[in-house]
Amino acid sequence: RRSREIRPDSGDVLTHMGVTLDSAAHSVYYDSRRITLTPTEYSLLELFMRNPGRVFTRDNLLNQVWGWDFVGEEKIVNVHIMYLRRKLCSGIIETIRGVGYRLGQD
């Protein structure tokens, strides 16, 4: 398999630490390779990339990604962050101990 250079045509393209998110195409690339994300993982990544430097608590993430009416454990956030980190193979999402998560610093 050959990986090809990505050149998004137009639309809203966000790039950070080798990760490119093209919201018009609803696609994510890491080092020019396409990464398949679940809708929840995509929403989390998009939220982080649209708010660089902002720290999100689990409650913030639950409300903004899962919705106000979500009924369940807030630990689900940890699980989805873990899956996202594995797929991206980078330190793009930092844990802020005792507070929450934020987009990693370059």
Side-chain angles (χ1 to χ4, degrees), residues 65-77:
V65 175
W66 280 266
W68 293 96
D69 58 347
F70 175 76
V71 177
E73 292 288 324
E74 66 178 32
K75 294 285 185 179
I76 193 72
V77 173

Side-chain angles (χ1 to χ4, degrees), residues 14 43-56 64 101-103 105:
L14 305 168
S43 296
L44 280 168
L45 181 61
E46 184 176 31
L47 181 64
F48 284 120
M49 291 184 78
R50 289 192 184 280
N51 298 281
R54 179 174 172 195
V55 177
F56 291 93
Q64 293 188 42
Y101 302 98
R102 76 171 173 203
L103 194 64
Q105 307 297 314

Side-chain angles (χ1 to χ4, degrees), residues 10-80:
S10 63
D12 198 6
V13 177
L14 305 168
T15 305
H16 186 75
M17 294 177 66
V19 176
T20 302
L21 185 139
D22 183 352
S23 63
H26 206 272
S27 56
V28 175
Y29 297 87
Y30 177 65
D31 287 339
S32 300
R33 290 189 329 260
R34 187 176 180 134
I35 305 296
T36 303
L37 299 178
T38 66
T40 303
E41 292 164 350
Y42 181 89
S43 296
L44 280 168
L45 181 61
E46 184 176 31
L47 181 64
F48 284 120
M49 291 184 78
R50 289 192 184 280
N51 298 281
R54 179 174 172 195
V55 177
F56 291 93
T57 65
R58 282 191 199 107
D59 282 338
N60 293 144
L61 294 171
L62 281 172
N63 292 334
Q64 293 188 42
V65 175
W66 280 266
W68 293 96
D69 58 347
F70 175 76
V71 177
E73 292 288 324
E74 66 178 32
K75 294 285 185 179
I76 193 72
V77 173
N78 300 19
V79 173
H80 283 279

